Amino acid sequence: MTSIESLKHTLELLRKERQADLEYYRQKVLLRSLHQRVQEGTTWYPVRLRNDYIGTGERLVIEVERTNHLEQPHAFQAGKSVSVFCNASGKPEKEHANGVINYVRDNAMVITLQGDELPDWIEDGQLGIDVMFDEMSYREMEFALKEVMKAENTRVATLREILLGDLAPAPTEPQALESTATFLNTSQADALQNVLSTKDIAFIHGPPGTGKTTTMVGAILAAVKKESQVLVTAPSNAAVDLLAEKLSDLGLQVVRIGHPARVTEQTLSKTLDARIAQHVHYPELRSLRKRMEQLKTMAMKYKRNFGYSEKEQRRLLLQESKAAKADADVLEFHIVNDVLQKSDVICCTLVGCSHPVLRGRKYRTAFIDEAGQALEPACWIPLLRCERVVLAGDHQQLPPTIKSNEAAKEGLAVTLFEKGILKHPVKAKMLQVQYRMHQAIMAFSSRYFYHDQLLAHESVKAALLHPNQAPIEFVDTAGCGYNESQDPETLSRFNEEEAHLLIRLVERLIDDIGQETWLQYGITLGIITPYRSQVDLLHKLAEQSPVLEPLHKLVTINTVDAFQGQERDAIAISFVRSNDKSEVGFLSDIRRTNVAMTRAKKKLIMVGDSATLGAHPFYVELLEYVQKEEFYRSAFEVRS
């Protein structure tokens, strides 16, 4: 398959994914009654307006509160596009205004609205919030793919042929590492050397806990010194914000491109909106805008049925307002360009690289973090703006989230990072020293996924929660009759007896160490399961536990996907699947299990049914490992 054929195929898969995503939205929102949407968590209703104010970048912000105090899971999270609607007239969603969620906490939500004025109907009551479909991301990804396909005799065409075609990368030119790179270990320094010496592509392969972000920061610092300005991107806002913070802490001038509602509170001061507000000419811009609005307001006082002189006055005022707006636009353009020109690093999401202020701008190097989780079409957006690209990630961890099973099976789940690293292994450097896990927790993943090349750093290799405590426990429920069930509405799986057992095991772990000691040292615990229904069940059991409830600020219960990039002192995993057909379902994506296991620093507890899990070769090897190392126990031993 040629590079163009490959891109055409990817474009077809992207369209399938968009259709699946839109259909999911249609089924979950558009075709559901208001009551159904509220019950399924795609709508908050009713909500009341608690507060409104002008936020960062002079954007209109509202705070709303859910008044029915439902506690079921919902689809709202920071960065999501939403529609605020009013149901007061009796005609559902007659009035609405779009916005972006800043954050959600319990029954409160903060939203940045589009537009300059609060809608008149916002005070009428019977307000609600709907999740919206994200059309813009698909539009930008499709545009990027088409641009890459038609590129000829350009740098984009060269990168396309290297990554997807038969063109070999340019020979490397070794560069001397600066003395400031002494904070890197040997494999990290090799990765940095690889980045500095490449003319086109480089890959930083960072298995769990190996300091991928540290290496990326070192590489970005070195690139800035040589190139003045670089583009730094990632698929998620959280990953971009993390890099923006670390680079800013090192003294670099960072500008975070993106909606202020989609960035963390710590990163707000680095957003383009905030940088504009800090500019020396901003008071002049604000004055022009204020004058423009005053003139417009004055003009609107003159109605059409007034006489000639009033109409003429209205025309002159509107003309003056228009001139003030033109002056404001020119000044804003100057300020934006000045801010961007004086920046060392431009940070944004992959789709955010299509922001209007970046159009026409080119960069010597683009860095893409978390590239193992990024859709290929999204990666081409920054690639349109650079001469060379550095991709960092780990294709042995979670792949991109894809709603269309068909598109995933036909190749959309294979990232540009994975394609490139397999095609040009010489351009990839794997980080080998991990700083997170006890060596026994690390060992199985190292052998199965990383060619047994990972090494535990001295600071973590023997670290335990409690002296003489086993770092791993695998508790086997085979023969206990702990059969899985399925939620008839969501079709998600859960296993009630296994959940109860896992909570008891965690309670014993806490009791062994002591609740006061746990609190004193702020020991963190993560409870992970692949299934949302099991998450809900575990939440209820933890809230009812006299041992766990007092530690709730130190305990996180969630799906595997939510834990990517995180770590906890102790991790407990509920595998859920237990059936007569030996079906492992979702667990067959073994990268998820790799992520789950490698979140643990000092203690890993796994609970599962070996009779079911043993149908998959990966879990056979895992069971052999825990038995060989004497980490295996039967549930019959521990459930009493």
Side-chain angles (χ1 to χ4, degrees):
M1 189 185 291
T2 66
S3 63
I4 303 296
E5 288 169 342
S6 175
L7 288 164
K8 283 180 179 176
H9 178 62
T10 301
L11 182 57
E12 287 173 18
L13 298 183
L14 182 66
R15 287 170 177 163
K16 285 183 181 179
E17 172 63 7
R18 179 194 172 279
Q19 196 56 42
D21 200 0
L22 183 58
E23 181 59 24
Y24 178 84
Y25 174 74
R26 203 171 73 87
Q27 294 290 339
K28 289 288 184 182
V29 179
L30 300 183
L31 299 180
R32 290 285 202 269
S33 68
L34 183 58
H35 176 73
Q36 286 174 316
R37 298 201 309 271
V38 171
Q39 291 300 313
E40 292 172 6
T42 56
T43 295
W44 274 20
Y45 182 86
V47 301
R48 72 176 181 90
L49 182 67
R50 264 193 348 193
N51 193 14
D52 65 90
Y53 54 90
I54 302 300
T56 304
E58 298 198 357
R59 296 173 188 253
L60 191 59
V61 178
I62 61 169
E63 293 180 11
V64 298
E65 182 178 43
R66 185 163 50 167
T67 56
N68 55 13
H69 298 291
L70 289 175
E71 293 184 1
Q72 85 269 22
H74 55 76
F76 296 94
Q77 60 188 40
K80 280 262 190 185
S81 296
V82 293
S83 175
V84 182
F85 65 85
C86 177
N87 211 18
S89 65
K91 295 178 181 178
E93 299 87 51
K94 182 181 177 185
E95 304 281 8
H96 67 90
N98 296 339
V100 176
I101 298 173
N102 291 46
Y103 67 82
V104 183
R105 194 170 298 150
D106 300 325
N107 284 304
M109 190 187 300
V110 176
I111 301 165
T112 299
L113 291 181
Q114 292 177 9
D116 302 323
E117 296 180 4
L118 207 61
D120 298 335
W121 45 263
I122 204 99
E123 302 285 353
D124 294 349
Q126 295 187 44
L127 300 177
I129 317 288
D130 274 334
V131 169
M132 283 183 69
F133 179 67
D134 182 15
E135 176 65 52
M136 190 271 285
S137 294
Y138 288 105
R139 190 169 60 243
E140 295 297 345
M141 286 190 283
E142 186 166 326
F143 175 80
L145 285 173
K146 288 177 178 176
E147 287 295 299
V148 175
M149 278 191 272
K150 70 183 186 186
E152 289 182 24
N153 302 318
T154 63
R155 192 63 189 151
V156 173
T158 302
L159 291 172
R160 177 192 70 207
E161 295 309 313
I162 291 171
L163 286 162
L164 300 177
D166 298 323
L167 187 64
T172 57
E173 293 180 357
Q175 304 283 324
L177 291 183
E178 292 194 18
S179 57
T180 51
T182 51
F183 63 92
L184 301 177
N185 64 42
T186 304
S187 63
Q188 290 171 337
D190 286 346
L192 176 55
Q193 173 71 262
N194 186 43
V195 169
L196 293 176
S197 62
T198 191
K199 291 182 177 179
D200 32 52
I201 59 167
F203 301 92
I204 300 173
H205 182 193
T210 54
K212 173 177 63 65
T213 302
T214 300
T215 311
M216 273 284 273
V217 166
I220 293 165
L221 272 172
V224 167
K225 284 182 180 178
K226 296 182 77 175
E227 302 164 20
S228 298
Q229 191 177 82
V230 298
L231 180 63
V232 174
T233 73
S236 71
N237 284 291
V240 176
D241 287 343
L242 176 64
L243 281 169
E245 279 303 302
K246 288 186 176 295
L247 292 166
S248 182
D249 289 345
L250 291 169
L252 294 182
Q253 282 294 313
V254 175
V255 172
R256 172 70 161 92
I257 305 293
H259 198 297
R262 291 191 168 102
V263 306
T264 60
E265 201 170 327
Q266 294 86 344
T267 316
L268 267 177
S269 61
K270 299 162 193 67
T271 59
L272 182 59
D273 285 28
R275 294 283 195 221
I276 290 170
Q278 295 158 13
H279 197 273
V280 65
H281 292 305
Y282 181 70
E284 187 183 343
L285 175 63
R286 193 169 186 176
S287 177
L288 277 170
R289 283 178 176 163
K290 191 175 181 181
R291 175 71 177 151
M292 177 187 77
E293 289 302 323
Q294 286 172 341
L295 289 165
K296 195 188 292 183
T297 303
M298 287 166 64
M300 290 305 130
K301 289 178 181 176
Y302 293 95
K303 305 297 181 185
R304 289 186 181 181
N305 57 356
F306 283 13
Y308 172 79
S309 61
E310 286 85 356
K311 285 182 180 178
E312 184 64 14
Q313 186 66 19
R314 184 173 185 268
R315 186 185 68 78
L316 290 170
L317 286 167
L318 286 173
Q319 190 174 332
E320 199 177 337
S321 173
K322 193 174 179 182
K325 183 183 184 304
D327 289 344
D329 289 346
V330 169
L331 182 57
E332 184 174 15
F333 179 80
H334 163 75
I335 292 172
V336 167
N337 277 282
D338 193 45
V339 167
L340 294 177
Q341 285 297 117
K342 291 175 179 175
S343 301
D344 301 313
V345 183
I346 307 295
C347 287
C348 55
T349 61
L350 296 169
V351 173
C353 292
S354 60
H355 195 285
V357 299
L358 299 183
R359 280 184 194 143
R361 290 182 173 271
K362 297 287 183 182
Y363 303 89
R364 171 81 180 93
T365 307
F367 290 87
I368 302 178
D369 196 14
E370 301 293 358
Q373 277 192 286
L375 283 173
E376 180 187 330
C379 287
W380 287 111
I381 302 174
L383 276 157
L384 289 170
R385 287 165 167 67
C386 69
E387 293 180 35
R388 63 177 197 146
V389 63
V390 178
L391 299 100
D394 180 13
H395 52 295
Q396 301 296 356
Q397 293 188 61
L398 288 179
T401 301
I402 297 173
K403 286 194 167 67
S404 168
N405 290 330
E406 187 182 351
K409 286 175 184 172
E410 290 178 19
L412 193 60
V414 183
T415 63
L416 195 61
F417 179 86
E418 188 171 355
K419 288 178 181 179
I421 209 168
L422 293 174
K423 186 181 275 284
H424 304 292
V426 69
K427 285 289 187 176
K429 294 294 179 183
M430 190 178 89
L431 309 180
Q432 294 177 312
V433 181
Q434 66 84 16
Y435 298 84
R436 175 184 297 164
M437 295 163 270
H438 187 285
Q439 59 185 354
I441 298 172
M442 173 202 75
F444 178 74
S445 284
S446 176
R447 190 180 76 205
Y448 198 95
F449 294 101
Y450 306 109
H451 312 293
D452 218 7
Q453 290 181 14
L454 294 188
L455 300 167
H457 190 262
E458 285 297 323
S459 61
V460 298
K461 66 185 294 185
L464 294 167
L465 281 183
H466 197 272
N468 304 317
Q469 186 184 68
I472 299 176
E473 286 179 66
F474 186 102
V475 179
D476 187 1
T477 64
C480 294
Y482 291 179
N483 292 328
E484 67 189 67
S485 301
Q486 189 171 31
D487 186 304
E489 286 189 18
T490 65
L491 303 182
S492 183
R493 311 269 171 172
F494 63 96
N495 190 319
E496 199 159 344
E497 290 90 348
E498 183 176 294
H500 279 280
L501 175 60
L502 182 136
I503 293 295
R504 283 201 300 275
L505 290 167
V506 168
E507 287 174 336
R508 287 179 194 177
L509 174 67
I510 293 167
D511 286 339
D512 285 348
I513 292 167
Q515 210 173 59
E516 285 187 17
T517 304
W518 199 282
L519 280 166
Q520 182 185 348
Y521 290 99
I523 299 169
T524 54
L525 167 69
I527 299 177
I528 304 180
T529 181
Y531 295 94
R532 173 52 63 184
S533 286
Q534 189 77 344
V535 169
D536 298 340
L537 176 56
L538 287 162
H539 265 296
K540 288 176 186 173
L541 295 176
E543 286 167 7
Q544 294 163 7
S545 166
V547 178
L548 278 168
E549 203 285 325
L551 307 176
H552 69 274
K553 290 185 179 177
L554 297 168
V555 179
T556 312
I557 304 173
N558 219 322
T559 59
V560 184
D561 299 54
F563 271 94
Q564 173 99 344
Q566 299 185 43
E567 61 185 26
R568 297 292 187 273
D569 293 309
I571 288 288
I573 303 171
S574 169
F575 286 113
V576 177
R577 299 309 296 259
S578 179
N579 54 73
D580 296 335
K581 297 178 182 177
S582 296
E583 291 177 348
V584 296
F586 206 33
L587 297 178
S588 61
D589 187 348
I590 57 176
R591 289 173 296 184
R592 277 195 157 74
T593 305
N594 183 35
V595 170
M597 293 191 302
T598 55
R599 301 309 94 195
K601 294 165 71 175
K602 301 173 183 178
K603 178 72 175 182
L604 173 62
I605 298 172
M606 295 178 278
V607 182
D609 178 359
S610 65
T612 299
L613 296 176
H616 193 287
F618 169 80
Y619 296 100
V620 170
E621 288 199 36
L622 176 60
L623 287 161
E624 287 173 354
Y625 172 73
V626 294
Q627 286 172 334
K628 180 186 172 188
E629 299 296 327
E630 299 182 353
F631 299 143
Y632 174 92
R633 299 164 75 192
S634 168
F636 290 107
E637 299 173 49
V638 299
R639 65 178 180 175
S640 56

